[in-house]
Amino acid sequence: MSITQKRSKKLPPFFSQVRELEKTDLTFLTIPENPFFLGQLRSGSTSINEPLTLDGKEVLSHNVLIPASTGKGKSNLMSCLLWDITNHNYAGMLVLDPHDEYYGRNGLGLKNHPRKDKVRYYTPANPPPGARTLKFNITKLKPEHFQGALSLSEPQRMCLYSYHKKFKEMWIYKILAEERITGVSFHEDTIAVVKRKLISLLSLDLEPQSNPQEPSKLTCTGIFGEIAGENTINEICQDLESGRTVIIDTSYFGGSLEIMIGTIIATEIFDRYKYYKKSGILETKPTISIVLEEAPRVLGKA
């Protein structure tokens, strides 16, 4: 038995006529309470004057990856997203900027935003008017701030925590002075290696005094110091909690130091938000998001 196949000569009656998309077809698109602007809708090569938005608090509570090869517009897209987010109060954005491009020190940037009062800019060198000098006081550092920035063995990691528990804000000084903790034993090489790694990462130095009986003098040549920067961590966290965009110029640093700066802020914000959750006021706080440019460069495989 043979079956004859026939091609349809016309569309079935339940199909409607095919036509181009029109704006009136898009009435189902709505703008959420916390709009995260993605761009204008396109139909083929035609741009339709219809904004596409998602719920910003929902989007920024997830990890977002923007992958593309060099020159394909990743930074330009991020600039547009930051510009739009700065219009709203639902998110605080911490931007680690290895190319010093988002603030617009030498051109158009977030410093030109209509709500530029919501933009904070920290740089370690020659801050322009309205910007702040990036400086952290070493007494405000904690062992967890070095997570990911220092490669430490388990004994070395325990050394950090033991000194912090014993000496509190003076713990880094005590490690550099190789002061021993009564009742706690570390291998001599452990303290020496930790001391060397701290000096290298934090750009510290120990200068011997003319009097051999006096302890060596600590000198600070980078963004970590003894005097300035006592309120930097708290100020950045408060700005983020207020829904501001905080840009940190990391163009002078390597990946380890950039990761440490991000970890310092992320650790403190996380501790605050855990408290807010416990207190039942977490929903009143903005979402905090961290922008990492060239993420593989600083994150690595792990």
Side-chain angles (χ1 to χ4, degrees):
M1 182 178 65
S2 64
I3 299 176
T4 303
Q5 294 182 342
K6 295 183 179 181
R7 293 184 179 180
S8 177
K9 298 296 184 181
K10 60 181 181 180
L11 289 174
F14 54 82
F15 277 87
S16 61
Q17 185 179 6
V18 177
R19 59 175 175 79
E20 289 188 0
L21 183 69
E22 297 176 356
K23 190 174 176 63
T24 54
D25 299 319
L26 305 171
T27 54
F28 65 92
L29 292 177
T30 59
I31 298 178
E33 180 182 356
N34 302 302
F36 180 83
F37 178 64
L38 294 176
Q40 301 292 338
L41 180 66
R42 296 183 69 86
S43 177
S45 60
T46 304
S47 178
I48 300 175
N49 187 25
E50 184 67 31
L52 289 178
T53 56
L54 298 174
D55 186 293
K57 294 197 74 170
E58 177 66 22
V59 171
L60 296 176
S61 65
H62 293 77
N63 293 328
V64 179
L65 176 66
I66 304 177
S69 57
T70 302
K72 293 298 189 291
K74 298 185 299 295
S75 295
N76 183 62
L77 172 59
M78 194 69 243
S79 294
C80 295
L81 294 177
L82 289 172
W83 187 277
D84 180 70
I85 292 170
T86 304
N87 283 318
H88 308 286
N89 298 316
Y90 62 75
M93 303 296 291
L94 175 64
V95 184
L96 302 180
D97 188 358
H99 303 300
D100 194 20
E101 58 186 329
Y102 292 113
Y103 180 72
R105 181 196 283 257
N106 300 311
L108 181 65
L110 283 168
K111 75 176 189 304
N112 307 105
H113 197 281
R115 298 187 67 182
K116 59 184 179 182
D117 60 299
K118 287 191 61 189
V119 179
R120 295 284 187 268
Y121 176 59
Y122 288 82
T123 180
N126 304 317
R132 302 179 180 182
T133 300
L134 183 64
K135 205 77 174 177
F136 294 96
N137 195 288
I138 61 175
T139 63
K140 302 301 179 182
L141 298 181
K142 303 174 183 177
E144 51 265 36
H145 293 162
F146 294 87
Q147 182 73 27
L150 282 181
S151 176
L152 298 170
S153 65
E154 185 61 20
Q156 292 165 5
R157 189 180 69 84
M158 293 305 299
C159 178
L160 294 186
Y161 281 91
S162 296
Y163 272 82
H164 181 257
K165 181 179 180 180
K166 173 66 176 179
F167 298 110
K168 303 296 188 290
E169 292 187 343
M170 298 300 294
W171 72 281
I172 291 181
Y173 292 97
K174 299 300 183 179
I175 289 179
L176 298 184
E178 298 187 34
E179 184 170 327
R180 300 292 174 169
I181 302 177
T182 304
V184 179
S185 177
F186 288 106
H187 193 280
E188 192 172 303
D189 289 344
T190 297
I191 298 178
V193 171
V194 169
K195 173 182 175 180
R196 185 173 68 249
K197 289 184 176 182
L198 289 175
I199 288 176
S200 176
L201 180 65
L202 303 180
S203 296
L204 305 177
D205 199 6
L206 289 174
E207 296 181 357
Q209 302 286 3
S210 56
N211 183 356
Q213 301 300 321
E214 294 182 4
S216 298
K217 181 182 178 182
L218 180 65
T219 59
C220 312
T221 59
I223 61 172
F224 298 97
E226 295 182 274
I227 302 174
E230 285 193 10
N231 296 317
T232 300
I233 299 174
N234 185 56
E235 288 173 354
I236 292 176
C237 290
Q238 286 184 340
D239 283 335
L240 293 173
E241 283 188 47
S242 300
R244 288 188 168 92
T245 298
V246 179
I247 305 169
I248 299 182
D249 171 19
T250 60
S251 60
Y252 294 85
F253 312 137
S256 295
L257 194 51
E258 187 175 23
I259 279 293
M260 181 174 179
I261 294 171
T263 302
I264 290 173
I265 307 306
T267 299
E268 297 306 311
I269 280 290
F270 189 62
D271 286 344
R272 291 183 182 213
Y273 271 50
K274 283 196 296 185
Y275 171 76
Y276 297 148
K277 183 176 181 179
K278 182 179 179 181
S279 304
I281 60 174
L282 182 61
E283 294 302 317
T284 67
K285 297 295 180 178
T287 299
I288 307 298
S289 190
I290 302 176
V291 178
L292 277 175
E293 191 88 1
E294 300 180 16
R297 176 180 60 87
V298 291
L299 293 182
K301 292 182 179 180

